[in-house]
Amino acid sequence: MSKVEEFLTAREEQEIVTAIVEAEKNTSGEIRVHIEATSKVEHYKRAQEVFHALKMDNTKAENGVLLYIAVHDKKFVIYGDKGINNAVPKDFWETTKNAIQAEFSKGNFKQGIINGVLTAGKELETHFPWLHTDTNELSNEISKG
């Protein structure tokens, strides 16, 4: 079994998907999680590539957020689309990063991802509130590389 397959159980993955649904209830923002073993390029650049490959740059309000995790490399990146970056302060993702890092450092990967997803949803709610015309533009499933 690969490092990616061992990272989370099917039940843990479902709990993360449930957290994504919960996080998106009060925001028009779209949150995705992508997990892969390693990256041959710098992690931020790889997160950009995955963001584009998942068509996350096609949302109406340009408010997609990717939580990219390279398991073997022990690295993660929070990557937001330009609509978010144009609307939020420079340190916007620090709270989300800290929520993830606190659990990852203890080996609680599922909880770190859930905390990060829920924190991101709360942060997005302020700048991108949910409107009655909003639709879920992206899959909530975890993608893997």
Side-chain angles (χ1 to χ4, degrees):
M1 210 183 299
S2 78
K3 194 101 167 153
V4 173
E5 297 302 319
E6 296 169 0
F7 187 62
L8 298 167
T9 66
R11 183 178 181 163
E12 289 172 328
E13 286 186 20
Q14 190 51 54
E15 289 177 52
I16 292 167
V17 170
T18 300
I20 293 169
V21 171
E22 182 65 30
E24 290 181 352
K25 274 185 184 171
N26 296 312
T27 179
S28 63
E30 295 286 336
I31 301 170
R32 297 279 324 253
V33 174
H34 180 82
I35 301 170
E36 58 188 25
T38 188
S39 176
K40 293 182 171 124
V41 298
E42 192 270 324
H43 295 94
Y44 184 81
K45 177 144 180 53
R46 180 63 183 141
Q48 285 179 306
E49 292 171 356
V50 171
F51 191 90
H52 181 69
L54 294 174
K55 300 188 182 329
M56 293 184 69
D57 46 6
N58 292 342
T59 60
K60 186 170 57 176
E62 298 178 321
N63 60 355
V65 177
L66 175 66
L67 174 52
Y68 167 84
I69 302 162
V71 177
H72 183 69
D73 301 343
K74 297 183 178 174
K75 299 283 185 184
F76 71 90
V77 174
I78 304 162
Y79 186 83
D81 205 351
K82 59 186 163 200
I84 295 171
N85 293 335
N86 291 338
V88 302
K90 192 172 180 112
D91 64 347
F92 183 73
W93 294 117
E94 286 301 306
T95 307
T96 303
K97 183 185 96 177
N98 293 341
I100 296 167
Q101 220 159 18
E103 293 299 327
F104 275 23
S105 66
K106 296 185 268 187
N108 299 331
F109 302 111
K110 176 206 74 170
Q111 197 58 51
I113 295 168
I114 288 174
N115 291 358
V117 164
L118 293 175
T119 302
K122 271 285 188 221
E123 297 284 333
L124 287 170
E125 188 178 337
T126 305
H127 298 278
F128 298 94
W130 185 86
L131 305 170
H132 74 282
T133 56
D134 287 336
T135 59
N136 190 10
E137 296 178 79
L138 300 172
S139 170
N140 295 329
E141 297 301 311
I142 296 171
S143 62
K144 296 177 184 171

